[in-house]
Amino acid sequence: MTDTPDPEYRIVVGLEVHAQLRTRTKCFCACAASGGDGPNSRTCPVCLGLPGALPVLSRAALDLSVRAAVALGCRIAQHTWWDRKHYGYADLPKGYQITQHASPIGTDGLLRFEGGDGPREVRIQRVHLEEDTGRSIHDEERTRLAFDRAGIALLEIVTEPDLRTSADVRACLLAIRRLLRWIGVSDAEMEHGQMRCEPNVNLHIRCSADAGTGSAWTPTPIAEIKNLNSITAAARAVDYEVARQLAEWNATGTIGPGPRTTRGWSESAQRTELQRVKEEAADYRFLPEPDLPVVTCAPELAEAARAAQSELPDARRRRYIDDLGLPAEVADELTQTLALSDWFERAAGAADAPRPVAAWIVGNLALVEAAIVHRRFSAKDLGKLVRAVERGRVPRAAARRIILPEMARRGTKWREIVAREGLEMADDAEVAAAVRATVDAHPDLVETARAGRPQVLEVLVGDVMRATRGRADAAMVRTLVRGLVLGRP
Amino acid sequence: MKPLHQLGARRIAVGVRAREFSARDVTLAFLARVRQFDGTLRAFVDLDDERTLAAADQVDQRLAEGRQLGPLAGVPVALKDNFCQRGLPTTCGSRMLAAWHAPYDADVVERLVAADAVPFGKTNMDEFGMGSSTEWSAFGPTTNPWDATRVPGGSSGGSAAAVAAGLVPLALGSDTGGSVRQPAAFCGVFGIAPSYGRVSRRGLVAFASSLDRVGAFARQADDLAALLRVLSGGDARDATSVHDAPPDWRDDVPAGVREVRIGVLSIADVGTVGSSTGSSSTGSSSTSGSSTGVVPAAATVTEKRDCVETAVADALAASRAALTQAGATLRDAVLPGAADALAAYHLIAAAEAASNLARYDGVRYGTRVAGVNAETSARNTRGEGFGPEVQRRIVLGTMALSAGRRDALHGRAEATRQRLRTAFAELFENVDVLLSPTTPTTAFALGTRTSDPLRMYAADVLTTPASLAGLPAISIPAGHDEAGLPIGIQAVAAVGREDLLFRVAGALERAFGTPAIPTPFIEAVAS
């Protein structure tokens, strides 16, 4: 550490996110997008770039891309086409990647999300559809190539450099992932390579002495960080990179805008390592892809996507807080996936009581999520149970300890369990009888209570609750016991 | 009956269906001709007797099973060596693919087989289609059947020569800037480049994707119509193919040209009539301020234009007279921007070629030359695998798309193409067909242009405009010059109007006669 105090600075981060679209086939051929039987089993003349083979755009990939662009609030291109991006690499079958350069499907979008300490916005520069490349697998002796990923449909989302903290980077990535899953365009599992992100990081440092540019803020060279395999790693890499750029600034004191660099995140070393310096932008010699016609139907598809789009997670979260009065953490939890959120709404409808239902779901999340997947019980089942509890017809403790676990384990209907176990609330006469019997059985405690220590009566309340197996209302039992023993409530 | 090889394709199909002769008989007859004559012609680069006979036997088998045979029953059709046929070498005339065997069938091969045609070997071509003489084949040149010292044209020279010499009744070619029409003219056969998208390109190895068209050769217009109909139709696996049902153009061949409005291209648009070459100044107003002059090479292309030879101009005049006689309305026509087409064509084609050929790095298939690492190996592979003309075009195309030059080169070439499309659209408001020579000259001598690329490119000056606009165009045999070399007349129509081309072709075939097989190839086959 140097003794120099850190200068005033701000962190500037933009994201490039690649997400594998949930299509059955690859982007430009009929090969399966997943599954397969070993390396190079999911290949054909098109995705291997064999002579004479031609790409044909997957309609599903186009649909999903437009859906994503709409959900990200983008302007949709009237004319959208593909471009060939040329570079030479052994796992790039055609010597070019089919991507979108000049006419991305969506531009000028906006994503709202909950940042580290409040609501945030990030502008979306562009959303486009492109193909993945193959994979090079290096070992000591040789490099092997697998083309199963080559031609898989990827959505690329590029944000403006609007993020200012690593916590916001993390929150933004979580929000993008949640949105992509929510609208069904990607499974976005980073550990399965279905989502990749490359943050572009630099600092703007307050530098009053910079007479050269006349600007009070001097940018450090932008570093693009690759090899990130989790959202946590992305946040850590940003933290590391901020510290590194700051240290470099402190050491040299003069670094200004320089060449962009590419740095790789090393998970084992927990640091970024220099991969290459881009002295000038690589010349990709973009050529409009002559094998694919210009697409003019994106606005129509967008119209359909808008009509079919369900409420998006951020809006839904807001509504849960503002209209349903749910606590923010509960609203967060319930809007993690569209399936859970929709399930909650159905349950809340059946119970006619959103807040208790929300509490029940969040309090038993693992059970509920398993129930959704395995269809053990329905949202309506849970809603009706919660309603019965809220109306005092089913004991709360029994519902939590006995009924819900059995519903989740066996799929038994809750009414059945209640009937079988005799779990309906005890009626007044039964409660009164139980109270009398308990009081009669403990003259010693009665005496102690009457002698000025009424708190011992709680033992009797507990006994009554046990005797009724929780089927009585504890407050009512307490009143009855006190009335009987002390002659007052 | 005439010998089998002198029968037209449709006559052969009738004979096979009527069991007059078998598909095997037909194939044997043509195989014998190839064996006898292809030593000097060198039209074929691959022809396997056994496999070809097996295909013919399958046709006979289907007939024996009582099945209805298709329109090309038992007709041998040769394929230019840039069409993929499963299990066969597909070299594209290149060392790069000398040992590559296609693992799948081109769409047109599937259609030929479905029509009961017999795929009949692979024909020679300029490497990846880049050339106008078939001299840029890595496997040596094909010769012109009318004069063995001359080129057959190119790049589909093998197919054109094979059809002209009667070694096969029909053949496929591909036409990017004139690669079917120009060799058809040089060899004296019919050759058509249909509307862009009419025939699927799937399985045609790409040269310049926005210009490449599957084309066809025949010695009779009605045979060509029958073949094109078999080849045409939408293909779900070629996104640029057009899904209109193809009409039956065979009816158009005898339909005549009464009331057809034909514009004859003003020769001043492309060069002057004369016998000297290389000094023509186009004088066309459209040259100034457009794409010519963008690069020195483009300006030089203009300077190195061929003059239209007198014999060719005379053939055009004779065609004009014949068509007038047949009831068509003839008038002079100009095509603004035509003089810029050649330069624009070369920039666009080279840019797309550089892109399409980027995949040949020796990593996944094809020839591989070793190197100390993958990058060096790829460089060595491309240096040794590609011939000089292909390398020249890759350099030009890479430059045309490079940062800083892209707008001035590729961008302006595309703008020229757009203007040309507009010019054609306006022209076709007033005429139905544009008539011109196919080439300014007849076949040139072997070895005279390979060292002068711009002179080689000049052979395509009249064919590139229709290529840039994707318009259907046909080369029609229209007699011979004093040296006995064939002359071709080109007809161009609006997109989708191949019917008009076949009507003009039919009328001129009746006027000039069906092209004969050149003398050296007409002796009867022994046995």
Side-chain angles (χ1 to χ4, degrees), chain B residues 166-238:
Chain B
L167 304 194
V168 69
L170 300 173
L172 301 194
S174 63
D175 189 308
T176 305
S179 280
V180 163
R181 291 162 284 160
Q182 186 255 16
F186 279 13
C187 292
V189 296
F190 291 91
I192 189 165
S195 308
Y196 185 81
R198 174 74 84 183
V199 180
S200 169
R201 292 183 293 119
R202 176 167 55 88
L204 166 67
V205 180
F207 160 14
S209 312
S210 76
L211 297 157
D212 290 345
R213 291 184 270 175
V214 173
F217 298 95
R219 282 204 320 283
Q220 291 170 223
D222 59 357
D223 283 350
L224 190 66
L227 174 56
L228 186 62
R229 184 170 154 81
V230 164
L231 302 177
S232 298
D235 175 10
R237 286 180 283 172
D238 173 1

Side-chain angles (χ1 to χ4, degrees), chain B residues 59-134:
Chain B
V59 174
D60 289 329
Q61 179 69 29
R62 283 195 286 273
L63 184 64
E65 286 164 6
R67 288 201 240 167
Q68 191 74 33
L69 290 189
L72 297 179
V75 179
V77 182
L79 305 175
K80 185 179 180 178
D81 204 19
N82 56 356
F83 289 97
C84 293
Q85 190 182 344
R86 187 191 296 272
L88 264 64
T90 302
T91 68
C92 297
S94 180
R95 288 187 58 191
M96 187 64 88
L97 292 176
W100 186 68
H101 290 232
Y104 70 103
D105 279 335
D107 178 78
V108 288
V109 172
E110 290 172 358
R111 287 175 192 269
L112 287 174
V113 171
D116 292 307
V118 175
F120 192 84
K122 309 296 280 293
T123 61
N124 200 13
M125 59 183 284
D126 286 302
E127 186 174 7
F128 286 103
M130 300 177 204
S132 306
S133 68
T134 314

